[in-house]
Amino acid sequence: MILSLVLLLNSPALAGDFIASIGEDGMMGGDDIGGINWARVFNNPVDGDWWVTYHWQAEGAPPGYKVAPMTDERVLDHRSGRIHLAEWDETKDHGIARCPDGSFLHVYSVGDGNQSSRAARYSMEWEILNEGWVEEEEHGRAHNDPPIICSEYLQGAAFTNHSDLRSTVFSIAADGTPSTSGTLDDSSHVSGASWIYDASRNQYLVVSNARHDGLGLRRAWYDLDLNLTGTAEWEPVPGLARTFWPQKIERVGDYWLLTHLGIEYSGMYAAGDGDVYLVVMDDSFNTVDSAKVSTNIPGELGSARPHFARRGATVMVVWDKGIQPYAVKVELDADALGIEAEDTGAGWGEGDGDGDGDGDGDGDGDGDGDGDGGDDGGGDSYDPCGSSEDGDSGSDPAEGEDEPSGSHSQSGLTGVEDTAMQGREGECDKEGCGCGAAPVNRAPWTLLVLAAGLVARRRPAG
């Protein structure tokens, strides 16, 4: 049995039910590629291929954020095609999201201690429309790697308060004017988290690290008034020693795509580094397919800051490693995921892209900056079960909510389950909704479950 597990661990990747193929990962090609980190990738539905945004500093110039086109072959036009975006002395960590009209919202930290934050808005052609301060010299909040949302209902960023780990939400108007909009309670530390609007539930979803590092990830649901409606902690890829940095999540039909970092055992890489995993989950967050898409050597450099974008059934995953940009192209099974031929994955409508907030996109995309599909939300808060202070009001999950465990061999969910209602008509009435919490699963791993977890951590095909 032990020999079988060893062979399984070292076997090459096999095509899964939802991930059809994985390309070979490697550093992006192009001239002068180096000194690049905080890379993000976006679908370029107008000209094809991809846009990559990244932090870079020229000799004798202040550090700043750039954007350049990248081909399907992962060649970045860093020299002639580079566009200069926001620049400021002591620029540090970045978050950027696409908005409903095709423009982009960029929020980044400034200062040695990330004590300040600035924001910028770009047109869909990457012209700087406006920029300015969100907060200046505020030492009570962590401004690094902020989760960004740019939806029809809310456009802004969240920063974790050091005092209570609640996150203060800043709305950022189309003209760049910031204002506080509320707090994200019980969201854990949100630096490096992902934040989207989910039209199927008419709620916001924040995915962050679990409260106890290494125990998986945490998802928190909020209504449109930012009231907490439910939380859960789970392990997308069971058996990892640490799961962290869930910087990008996207809905594809009835499924979710998620990228995050993970390490298989303590001390495998330097602190903050790991391997990049791409996970496919069903609507209840049960993992139905997953793959490790990075190739690193234990004891040497690991990967950092993963992100992805989708064009139809093609997913481009990017990250940085040793201040160098890396990428891998992954093909999904379009039929299994229900991806239609006309689905570009862009996530925005036919707006003018001027960032004026005039709604030209008409809701054709959900506008969360993550390509999650159509937006049918009406803009009203929806909380059919109400909420208690801790978000728990019962003992059984309602129909259509996350289930305590999945039926797929790679699911392996653990932890307190969602108390959030889904915002779907007809699934239950207000009385007896069962907005409850499932008990924590503390069962020990058996060899069979370990084998299933090893299958989930498949290596990419060469």
Side-chain angles (χ1 to χ4, degrees):
M1 181 64 177
I2 299 298
L3 177 59
S4 298
L5 292 177
V6 172
L7 292 175
L8 182 61
L9 177 63
N10 291 281
S11 61
L14 300 175
D17 295 332
F18 295 86
I19 298 176
S21 66
I22 307 164
E24 183 178 358
D25 76 305
M27 193 173 73
M28 295 177 192
D31 295 328
D32 299 329
I33 300 298
I36 288 175
N37 52 11
W38 285 287
R40 309 290 190 269
V41 61
F42 295 94
N43 183 340
N44 184 352
V46 176
D47 300 321
D49 293 334
W50 314 91
W51 287 110
V52 176
T53 63
Y54 51 93
H55 180 97
W56 183 74
Q57 181 175 4
E59 185 176 354
Y65 215 52
K66 321 294 178 186
V67 62
M70 184 182 72
T71 68
D72 256 1
E73 289 70 38
R74 304 175 300 177
V75 176
L76 182 69
D77 190 1
H78 173 63
R79 176 174 287 180
S80 61
R82 180 176 68 233
I83 300 172
H84 295 267
L85 301 177
E87 294 185 349
W88 199 263
D89 289 338
E90 297 183 339
T91 295
K92 298 296 181 184
D93 302 352
H94 301 264
I96 186 167
R98 182 178 259 144
C99 301
D101 60 1
S103 65
F104 296 86
L105 175 62
H106 175 205
V107 181
Y108 56 98
S109 62
V110 176
D112 289 338
N114 294 297
Q115 66 270 21
S116 303
S117 177
R118 290 180 60 83
R121 181 87 64 155
Y122 313 119
S123 72
M124 66 171 64
E125 292 83 17
W126 300 103
E127 301 167 307
I128 299 177
L129 302 175
N130 54 68
E131 58 179 314
W133 291 104
V134 180
E135 284 198 296
E136 216 174 338
E137 294 300 323
E138 172 52 69
H139 294 264
R141 279 186 276 274
H143 299 95
N144 58 299
D145 305 295
I148 306 298
I149 190 168
C150 205
S151 70
E152 178 181 352
Y153 307 114
L154 177 62
Q155 303 184 2
F159 308 114
T160 304
N161 299 313
H162 295 309
S163 60
D164 56 11
L165 291 185
R166 299 170 71 197
S167 299
T168 299
V169 175
F170 284 82
S171 294
I172 301 173
D175 65 0
T177 304
S179 61
T180 56
S181 296
T183 58
L184 298 178
D185 293 334
D186 206 19
S187 60
S188 189
H189 199 294
V190 297
S191 292
S194 52
W195 184 13
I196 65 172
Y197 167 75
D198 179 28
S200 71
R201 291 166 170 84
N202 196 28
Q203 295 188 3
Y204 301 120
L205 170 63
V206 176
V207 179
S208 58
N209 295 347
R211 290 198 177 280
H212 300 285
D213 193 21
L215 296 182
L217 301 178
R218 181 178 184 83
R219 57 185 184 270
W221 292 96
Y222 301 87
D223 66 20
L224 298 189
D225 294 321
L226 299 182
N227 297 309
L228 178 70
T229 62
T231 62
E233 294 192 356
W234 89 112
E235 295 181 270
V237 178
L240 292 177
R242 186 184 178 201
T243 303
F244 60 111
W245 209 278
Q247 191 171 253
K248 178 66 184 290
I249 189 169
E250 173 184 318
R251 178 178 279 282
V252 182
D254 294 330
Y255 296 88
W256 297 95
L257 292 181
L258 171 71
T259 189
H260 64 79
L261 294 179
I263 58 173
E264 297 177 3
Y265 56 87
S266 179
M268 188 174 182
Y269 303 114
D273 290 350
D275 281 306
V276 178
Y277 288 83
L278 181 67
V279 182
V280 184
M281 301 173 291
D282 65 19
D283 189 54
S284 297
F285 294 88
N286 302 312
T287 297
V288 296
D289 208 352
S290 65
K292 183 170 70 174
V293 299
S294 61
T295 305
N296 296 313
I297 299 174
E300 298 186 9
L301 290 174
S303 303
R305 291 171 284 274
H307 195 260
F308 73 86
R310 180 176 64 88
R311 186 182 67 237
T314 300
V315 175
M316 187 66 74
V317 186
V318 302
W319 63 90
D320 62 84
K321 174 181 173 181
I323 321 182
Q324 304 279 4
Y326 281 69
V328 64
K329 187 166 68 171
V330 177
E331 295 294 337
L332 304 174
D333 188 317
D335 292 336
L337 287 164
I339 298 174
E340 303 292 340
E342 62 272 15
D343 179 5
T344 67
W348 53 277
E350 298 300 327
D352 55 14
D354 58 9
D356 61 8
D358 59 9
D360 292 350
D362 297 328
D364 293 340
D366 68 1
D368 58 29
D370 294 307
D372 296 348
D375 177 5
D376 57 4
D380 296 325
S381 300
Y382 187 79
D383 186 10
C385 291
S387 60
S388 61
E389 291 183 1
D390 60 2
D392 297 334
S393 58
S395 58
D396 298 318
E399 180 182 354
E401 287 189 17
D402 298 350
E403 296 299 328
S405 61
S407 59
H408 194 277
S409 62
Q410 298 176 11
S411 59
L413 295 178
T414 62
V416 179
E417 276 305 306
D418 265 333
T419 59
M421 283 305 299
Q422 308 305 299
R424 297 172 177 147
E425 296 180 2
E427 289 194 346
C428 64
D429 53 24
K430 187 172 179 66
E431 294 183 3
C433 272
C435 299
V440 176
N441 181 1
R442 300 297 185 188
W445 289 103
T446 63
L447 287 178
L448 180 60
V449 176
L450 176 60
L454 293 174
V455 171
R457 302 196 299 273
R458 297 179 293 117
R459 296 184 175 181

